């Protein structure tokens, strides 16, 4: 009997320990997201909140989700940066487990899910979950898919904010396919600089400016400037050959269409 009681006590202790551990893990993600710049949304306040705010970034998460826990501190930094830079976007969060109605309304099927709401347009972010990448995504959706500048200095300043920048030196009419592609690719900054200075500097209709491997890659002059060729050019040179193999590199490699 004494042995049985010891086993029962051990089982009870293990159960309580696992319960406490799970509770602490759930608290940890909530703690990371407990930021005054992140608005907690629920089934009760979601509809009114969305009516009052036209540009909203929302993280849908589950407390038990490992990827959510890993992303929570970075999301808090994203919210702080948005506030510091005066970006006109409200950052919010939804605990999807506790708010079924809101989750179903937004077709949430996995975690974490990050969505940007700009007026009536909804865009799901599927790129690298870092401050710079998410802010670049927001900037594209709010301010346009490409930037038009007139000097090399402006190009270089933009290059400092992203490890991948695609520069076109032709005019907008000539670069229609380039512009169309910019609307669907979030991790790369698209720039048009058709001034004489940029044409002289970059010596090609399109150049890839990168912070790894060969820093400047020219689009082959013998190739036609169409969507397929530009997309293939991006697929080929957006992957760091000597870099670490991770989820995002794997996605780029296995979704490569060439």
């Amino acid at each position: 009997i004494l042995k049985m009681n010891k086993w029962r006590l051990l089982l009870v202790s293990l159960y309580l320990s696992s319960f406490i551990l799970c509770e602490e893990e759930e608290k940890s993600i909530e703690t990371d997201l407990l930021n005054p710049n992140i608005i907690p949304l629920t089934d009760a306040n979601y509809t009114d909140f969305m009516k009052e705010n036209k540009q909203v970034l929302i993280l849908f998460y589950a407390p038990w989700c490992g990827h959510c826990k890993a992303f929570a501190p970075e999301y808090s930094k994203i919210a702080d940066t948005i506030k510091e830079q005066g970006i006109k976007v409200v950052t919010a969060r939804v605990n999807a487990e506790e708010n079924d109605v809101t989750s179903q309304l937004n077709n949430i099927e996995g975690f974490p899910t990050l969505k940007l709401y700009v007026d009536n347009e909804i865009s799901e972010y599927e790129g690298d979950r870092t401050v710079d990448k998410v802010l670049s995504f927001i900037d594209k959706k709010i301010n346009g898919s490409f930037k038009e500048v007139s000097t090399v200095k402006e190009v270089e300043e933009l290059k400092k904010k992203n490890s991948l920048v695609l520069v076109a030196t032709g005019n907008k009419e000539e670069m229609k396919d380039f512009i169309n592609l910019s609307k669907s690719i979030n991790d790369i900054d698209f720039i048009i600089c058709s001034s004489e200075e940029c044409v002289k500097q970059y010596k090609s209709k399109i150049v890839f400016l990168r912070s790894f491997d060969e820093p400047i890659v020219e689009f082959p002059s013998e190739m036609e400037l169409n969507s397929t060729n530009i997309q293939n050019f991006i697929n080929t040179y957006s992957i760091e050959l000597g870099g670490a193999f991770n989820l995002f590199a794997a996605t780029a490699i296995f979704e490569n269409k060439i």
Side-chain angles (χ1 to χ4, degrees):
I1 294 171
L2 186 61
K3 286 183 179 179
M4 287 293 290
N5 285 338
K6 284 182 178 178
W7 278 111
R8 284 176 183 170
L9 283 170
L10 180 60
L11 288 171
V12 169
S13 298
L14 288 171
Y15 173 78
L16 289 174
S17 297
S18 64
F19 178 79
I20 291 167
L21 182 62
C22 289
E23 191 176 47
E24 286 177 351
E25 285 179 349
E26 289 195 9
K27 283 180 181 175
S28 69
I29 188 170
E30 297 293 346
T31 301
D32 285 328
L33 295 175
L34 194 62
N35 180 330
N37 294 322
I38 303 175
I39 309 299
L41 299 181
T42 65
D43 290 344
N45 68 359
Y46 175 81
T47 302
D48 289 339
F49 179 86
M50 296 304 285
K51 285 179 181 176
E52 294 168 4
N53 298 277
K54 300 302 181 185
Q55 297 185 161
V56 184
L57 181 69
I58 303 179
L59 170 65
F60 295 86
Y61 66 95
W64 48 262
C65 165
H67 292 297
C68 299
K69 292 171 189 173
F71 180 50
E74 195 74 3
Y75 190 64
S76 187
K77 291 178 188 175
I78 290 167
D80 290 341
T81 306
I82 286 172
K83 182 72 174 178
E84 290 164 7
Q85 293 187 5
I87 299 169
K88 303 300 182 183
V89 171
V90 181
T91 314
R93 61 183 171 92
V94 173
N95 183 333
E97 280 213 323
E98 295 179 357
N99 299 281
D100 290 338
V101 175
T102 302
S103 298
Q104 290 174 19
L105 184 65
N106 288 279
N107 301 312
I108 304 303
E109 296 178 348
F111 309 108
T113 296
L114 193 59
K115 292 195 175 191
L116 179 67
Y117 302 75
V118 179
D119 297 320
N120 296 319
E121 184 181 338
I122 304 171
S123 303
E124 183 171 339
Y125 179 71
E126 297 177 331
D128 192 344
R129 300 187 194 107
T130 63
V131 175
D132 290 344
K133 295 293 187 181
V134 173
L135 291 183
S136 177
F137 165 76
I138 292 171
D139 182 55
K140 273 194 172 190
K141 296 300 179 184
I142 292 175
N143 299 318
S145 60
F146 71 96
K147 293 180 175 65
E148 192 169 11
V149 300
S150 58
T151 67
V152 171
K153 184 179 179 181
E154 288 174 288
V155 173
E156 294 302 319
E157 285 300 314
L158 291 169
K159 172 66 183 65
K160 291 177 184 177
K161 299 177 182 179
N162 198 336
S163 61
L164 291 170
V165 173
L166 207 61
V167 182
T169 58
N171 58 55
K172 284 192 284 187
E173 183 64 28
E174 188 180 9
M175 292 296 167
K176 282 182 178 179
D177 287 338
F178 177 91
I179 292 169
N180 286 334
L181 274 175
S182 74
K183 296 173 184 176
S184 60
I185 299 176
N186 296 317
D187 290 344
I188 298 171
D189 282 347
F190 286 69
I191 300 170
I192 291 181
C193 184
S194 56
S195 67
E196 186 178 338
E197 180 188 356
C198 281
V199 171
K200 185 178 179 180
Q201 172 74 15
Y202 299 117
K203 303 180 181 67
S204 176
K205 287 293 183 183
I206 296 176
V207 293
F208 221 149
L209 304 184
R210 312 182 302 173
S211 61
F212 54 83
D213 298 335
E214 190 178 353
I216 301 177
V217 183
E218 296 181 1
F219 185 85
S221 58
E222 68 276 9
M223 292 183 73
E224 185 183 346
L225 279 170
N226 58 42
S227 294
T228 300
N229 288 339
I230 298 171
Q231 180 69 71
N232 287 343
F233 178 67
I234 292 170
N235 289 344
T236 302
Y237 294 105
S238 61
I239 302 166
E240 183 175 359
L241 295 178
F245 189 85
N246 55 38
L247 175 63
F248 306 109
T251 301
I253 292 167
F254 293 117
E255 288 185 357
N256 195 314
K257 295 185 174 77
I258 63 169

